[in-house]
Amino acid sequence: MSDQLQRFIFDDTDIRGELSRLDQSYHDSLNTHQYPEVVAQLIGEFLAAVALLSATLKFEGTLTLQARSDGEIPLIMAEATSENDLRAIARGAEDARSNDFKTLLANGQLSITIEPKQGKRYQGIVSLDGANLAECLEGYFQQSEQLSTRIWLSCDHQQAAGMLLQELPASHNINPEQRQQQWQHLTQLADTITAAELLALPFDQILYRLYHQEQVRIFDPTPLQFKCSCSEQRTLSALRTLGQQELTEIIADQGSIEIHCEFCHQHYQFAQPDIDKLFQATVH
Ligand SMILES: [Zn+2]
């Protein structure tokens, strides 16, 4: 029951929900990185959140949630693909100790980027001025999508979990007052969930605990897994932008080109024949 995404809807309303929980995929994402506790915890929240967001967006590709700041964590990011492959990283945060979100990510900006397999890249950016990641994401949806959205996130260093409720455009219920009442009722109930319950209870028990008096429809859960999108081919493609001459000079100087993937620690090594082949292949 771990590492899953669970969609649910409330009958006769235009409100949907998602639950995410990560266990093994969280551990695999932390990998052998020696993150301080507060950083590992925030990475869990980023992962739980990016899984929730990827479920709300219809897209084929990669969704990236990234924060940059002047605080103790200069960079933190998590990615989810439409195949529910997750990965995450924090950079430059070796000395992060604060328990305060705003100190960790002072003067920060949060970007949400969708890179579809086909079509245009989309990016939305909001200031990180909420008290926690969930609040910042709620602000993002309010500003950019104009969809009422509430998000609950929790991480205890073993697991990460999240819940999302989102109001959809009027379809089942077009009465604005009733819509508002339904939204308030369902979000107030959701607010009674504790961080511990969100992490520990099976999804059906969470939904029963919150909504046993509501008509909730649940869908088949989707598995989530850690999987890095790096590959030899993609690494070579990235190197291409440096140009054949520069790459040849690096090899002459250092013997080979070595690339380390920060997400999964995969090591790539390229020699002159790899570079020659890379540029041959693209000459038509
Ligand atoms: Zn990798």
Side-chain angles (χ1 to χ4, degrees), residues 87 228-230 261 263-266 268:
R87 63 176 195 170
C228 190
S229 55
C230 74
C261 176
F263 290 91
C264 70
H265 301 306
Q266 179 72 42
Y268 297 101

Side-chain angles (χ1 to χ4, degrees), residues 96-218:
R97 294 289 177 272
S98 175
N99 286 311
D100 176 44
F101 181 75
K102 288 190 167 180
T103 307
L104 291 173
L105 294 170
N107 299 320
Q109 284 205 317
L110 180 69
S111 65
I112 294 170
T113 310
I114 301 168
E115 275 178 84
K117 283 178 186 158
Q118 280 161 351
K120 264 193 187 157
R121 182 174 183 262
Y122 163 86
Q123 187 169 59
I125 296 176
V126 280
S127 295
L128 280 166
D129 39 21
N132 52 48
L133 177 62
E135 242 181 56
C136 296
L137 289 167
E138 289 166 4
Y140 166 80
F141 277 103
Q142 203 61 51
Q143 269 179 40
S144 62
E145 314 278 323
Q146 290 173 358
L147 294 172
S148 294
T149 304
R150 290 289 317 278
I151 293 173
W152 294 261
L153 299 170
S154 186
C155 181
D156 69 353
H157 308 297
Q158 298 300 319
Q159 294 187 100
M163 178 166 68
L164 170 144
L165 290 185
Q166 190 165 62
E167 196 172 30
L168 300 168
S171 145
H172 293 284
N173 191 342
I174 55 167
N175 180 317
E177 255 173 54
Q178 279 179 10
R179 285 173 59 83
Q180 186 58 21
Q181 275 170 11
Q182 283 173 338
W183 175 250
Q184 275 186 352
H185 175 62
L186 295 174
T187 50
Q188 272 168 10
L189 288 171
D191 266 333
T192 66
I193 194 93
T194 65
E197 286 173 326
L198 193 57
L199 286 166
L201 292 180
F203 288 157
D204 56 349
Q205 282 185 36
I206 291 177
L207 293 173
Y208 182 80
R209 147 92 174 72
L210 297 176
Y211 297 124
H212 61 277
Q213 289 180 319
E214 316 297 324
Q215 296 291 321
V216 185
R217 192 177 302 243
I218 62 170

Side-chain angles (χ1 to χ4, degrees), residues 50-88:
V50 81
L52 292 173
L53 299 193
S54 71
T56 67
L57 300 164
K58 285 196 187 92
F59 77 109
E60 285 271 309
T62 305
L63 174 71
T64 307
L65 194 58
Q66 176 174 293
R68 286 180 181 276
S69 85
D70 299 332
E72 294 181 2
I73 305 180
L75 182 133
I76 182 167
M77 65 181 287
E79 280 180 7
T81 69
S82 38
E83 287 77 39
N84 298 308
D85 295 335
L86 304 170
R87 63 176 195 170

Side-chain angles (χ1 to χ4, degrees), residues 229-244 247-248 251 256-261 266-282:
S229 55
C230 74
S231 68
E232 192 169 284
Q233 199 51 48
R234 291 184 82 162
T235 309
L236 271 171
S237 303
L239 283 175
R240 247 194 114 237
T241 55
L242 289 175
Q244 189 166 14
L247 294 172
T248 302
I251 291 172
S256 66
I257 294 172
E258 302 200 18
I259 306 282
H260 173 83
C261 176
Q266 179 72 42
H267 191 74
Y268 297 101
Q269 190 170 29
F270 302 107
Q272 193 60 47
D274 300 313
I275 301 308
D276 293 342
K277 212 169 121 197
L278 174 67
F279 286 91
Q280 266 168 25
T282 54

